[in-house]
Amino acid sequence: MDSRPNIVWVTLDSVRQNRTTMGGHHRDTTPRLQRMAEVGRSFSTCIAAGIWTLPSSASILTGTYPSHNTVGIDGESVPSELPTVAERFSDSGYRTACLSRNGHLSGATGMDRGFDRFSWLAASTVLPAAGPRTLAKYLLNIRRHSAGFTTETAKHATPFLMNDIAKRWLDDLAGEEPFFCYLHYNEPHRPFVPPLPWQSRYADEIDATVEEAIDIAMEAHRDMHARVASGDPLTEREREALLAMYDAEVAYTDECIGRLHDRVRGLDTDRETLFLVTADHGEMLGDRGLLAHNLVVDDALVNVPLVATGLDGLTDGDGLAPANDDIVQHTDLMRTLLEAGEADTDGIQGVDLRTERREFAISQRSPTDFELYLEHDPSFETSRFHAGLLTGLRTETHRYQRSDDRAELLRLPDETTDVSDSEPELAAELDERLDEWLATEGAPVGEGRDAEFDDAMRRQLSDLGYVE
């Protein structure tokens, strides 16, 4: 009997682990994910390989690290010589499908390769992607599941749309052959504007009206570079309002993913269906005077949730090798799933979680020239940040980060104090490990390649703050 599992992989956008219920947040923002964790697994130290959607998604969908696949480092598109995981699953007999709400995960970047069915969801594609019936349902529910009737496209939430399309696709996929279905939700990516009924969820805990909090969230989104350049991006009142809106978006998205999970559990299939939820990266919410996701490889950006049901069923023994608080990366999970799907894993850079544990994680950030900050304030203190390619090697207790500029050893959770002088032996050991990693797994597979974003994609990326 064919025991290969069905796989539903859900990636959320901009969720940091410590703002979730599983991560110990004082607000119960993810009760549905928490319930999944209680019957499945939740990893508290899942470390993303990239700090924004493009490199992180490429890492997930190729099973390789950013400097190796070049995407988000010195290229924008997956090199043709590098197979995608969808191609690997397809070659193993899987039916494959991907629904993406972010232009960075699209045909423009080559991340659609290998998917039998692929749709990128945006204002210009919503009718053919969703169909008239789903679109009509969304419009009828636009005050319950989005910002109401507003022409500001950046304010609209789309998990309702994503869910309705995904449920229909999953019904089609369930059959004799196993399937791999990858879903990229855009929430709670900034601007943090929850659907109307959710905007007041934490409003009684802040010194602002809902309307003021939404205005603060929109202004922080539009003026992000200017605010960071000022050195003081948010007043305490603004930060509390922004956090309330962010947490409300996380909570709304959690409810939607919970409903999707309910549907998956009811699929008409004889196979085990694995259901996995993670995030591509986290978010700076005023931490260290920063907003959004750039400049650093701090845990606020790379420590993301990872919850899964059905994973332990892949083993014949006592379950997966890592404990819930051990370090894991998306590349590990992808290798494990490919192995379980009897697909080719040659060149995949993670470990098999059924039998292995990893000693350290890698996160990377592309070179930056600080131009967008300096044009707002020429005195912006760039020396606080690395300019060249930044690679962070994270152990359970430390992060050793290095670029062409300099190297630092940080004892976590302190993200700013260099302890190299007080712990020189550890600094030397991790420096040697990083040298070896960069020369092997971190070496580029080829030349970086540009993406071909069309006008609709650029409009969507502009709403998200990626392009002007």
Side-chain angles (χ1 to χ4, degrees):
M1 179 180 176
D2 186 355
S3 61
R4 292 176 298 167
N6 298 320
I7 301 162
V8 179
W9 180 309
V10 177
T11 297
L12 308 180
D13 206 309
S14 308
V15 182
R16 50 193 273 180
Q17 167 71 1
N18 68 357
R19 303 298 297 188
T20 67
T21 304
M22 302 83 65
H25 188 24
H26 70 277
R27 290 174 175 152
D28 188 15
T29 53
T30 57
R32 295 282 235 150
L33 290 181
Q34 177 64 32
R35 287 200 289 275
M36 290 181 215
E38 289 167 359
V39 298
R41 292 291 295 269
S42 176
F43 295 94
S44 62
T45 317
C46 177
I47 305 299
I51 65 167
W52 58 297
T53 298
L54 182 62
S56 185
S57 294
S59 179
I60 294 170
L61 290 174
T62 65
T64 63
Y65 289 93
S67 63
H68 180 70
N69 63 53
T70 73
V71 181
I73 300 299
D74 63 356
E76 298 172 313
S77 184
V78 178
S80 58
E81 60 265 39
L82 191 65
T84 66
V85 297
E87 289 175 315
R88 294 173 186 267
F89 276 118
S90 184
D91 289 345
S92 183
Y94 271 71
R95 300 175 69 191
T96 57
C98 176
L99 180 62
S100 166
R101 181 63 182 92
N102 191 302
H104 282 134
L105 201 169
S106 67
T109 59
M111 292 189 221
D112 62 336
R113 269 201 284 125
F115 286 108
D116 303 322
R117 188 172 190 175
F118 183 94
S119 284
W120 165 65
L121 192 63
S124 62
T125 68
V126 65
L127 183 56
R133 185 174 180 178
T134 290
L135 184 57
K137 286 169 62 178
Y138 177 64
L139 293 174
L140 287 171
N141 285 277
I142 201 164
R143 290 186 60 82
R144 292 178 56 207
H145 290 283
S146 194
F149 292 97
T150 173
T151 57
E152 289 190 82
T153 54
K155 287 186 174 181
H156 283 296
T158 54
F160 178 91
L161 271 174
M162 290 284 294
N163 267 16
D164 212 60
I165 299 169
K167 289 174 183 177
R168 190 169 68 244
W169 283 22
L170 288 165
D171 287 341
D172 293 342
L173 287 167
E176 292 185 6
E177 298 172 331
F179 67 78
F180 170 64
C181 183
Y182 188 87
L183 305 168
H184 184 103
Y185 286 66
N186 223 39
E187 276 68 28
H189 194 289
R190 62 189 177 93
F192 308 132
V193 181
L196 292 175
W198 294 74
Q199 291 177 5
S200 59
R201 189 173 186 86
Y202 305 115
D204 59 349
E205 302 174 27
I206 61 176
D207 181 25
T209 65
V210 167
E211 292 75 16
E212 289 170 334
I214 295 298
D215 286 344
I216 288 168
M218 290 300 296
E219 289 168 9
H221 171 62
R222 293 179 182 130
D223 303 334
M224 186 270 291
H225 292 103
R227 284 174 173 260
V228 171
S230 74
D232 189 17
L234 299 168
T235 65
E236 186 59 29
R237 175 177 176 271
E238 288 176 328
R239 186 167 190 269
E240 289 305 314
L242 189 73
L243 290 175
M245 294 301 103
Y246 174 81
D247 287 346
E249 270 219 72
V250 172
Y252 168 70
T253 306
D254 172 78
E255 175 61 25
C256 290
I257 300 306
R259 294 180 183 182
L260 180 67
H261 182 243
D262 291 343
R263 181 60 166 268
V264 168
R265 291 172 61 193
L267 284 177
D268 184 15
T269 175
D270 293 331
R271 295 178 185 274
E272 176 76 25
T273 299
L274 308 185
F275 190 86
L276 312 108
V277 185
T278 187
D280 53 356
H281 56 80
E283 188 79 354
M284 301 301 279
L285 298 165
D287 318 72
R288 295 179 58 190
L290 299 177
L291 296 170
H293 31 273
N294 42 46
L295 295 181
V296 296
V297 292
D298 289 13
D299 268 13
L301 289 187
V302 299
N303 190 183
V304 297
L306 174 55
V307 174
T309 58
L311 267 187
D312 282 322
L314 299 180
T315 65
D316 296 326
D318 297 326
L320 303 180
N324 288 2
D325 57 353
D326 283 346
I327 294 173
V328 298
Q329 297 211 258
H330 294 131
T331 52
D332 305 330
L333 185 55
M334 194 56 79
R335 172 179 282 280
T336 306
L337 298 177
L338 287 166
E339 294 279 4
E342 300 176 7
D344 177 32
T345 57
D346 185 38
I348 296 293
Q349 295 184 316
V351 303
D352 188 339
L353 296 176
R354 296 175 300 177
T355 57
E356 300 175 78
R357 298 167 63 183
R358 67 165 49 247
E359 296 181 22
F360 60 82
I362 293 289
S363 301
Q364 296 185 290
R365 189 223 65 191
S366 63
T368 184
D369 60 10
F370 306 108
E371 180 182 350
L372 291 173
Y373 302 96
L374 292 171
E375 70 181 26
H376 292 288
D377 186 352
S379 66
F380 176 63
E381 189 183 345
T382 61
S383 61
R384 290 188 296 150
F385 309 106
H386 294 254
L389 170 65
L390 176 61
T391 301
L393 185 157
R394 190 196 189 283
T395 69
E396 291 184 358
T397 57
H398 292 74
R399 178 184 298 107
Y400 182 75
Q401 57 187 33
R402 194 178 81 190
S403 67
D404 292 339
D405 311 6
R406 63 185 184 276
E408 298 151 333
L409 178 65
L410 308 171
R411 176 178 283 277
L412 302 174
D414 185 343
E415 306 268 13
T416 59
T417 305
D418 185 0
V419 297
S420 299
D421 289 342
S422 59
E423 301 185 60
E425 292 182 0
L426 180 59
E429 177 191 341
L430 296 183
D431 188 69
E432 184 177 345
R433 286 192 177 192
L434 185 54
D435 270 341
E436 180 182 356
W437 186 89
L438 288 168
T440 53
E441 291 185 88
V445 69
E447 295 291 325
R449 303 187 181 189
D450 292 336
E452 298 181 4
F453 297 113
D454 61 26
D455 289 344
M457 290 174 178
R458 291 188 178 280
R459 281 194 296 273
Q460 186 190 70
L461 295 176
S462 176
D463 280 348
L464 299 175
Y466 286 114
V467 297
E468 295 298 326

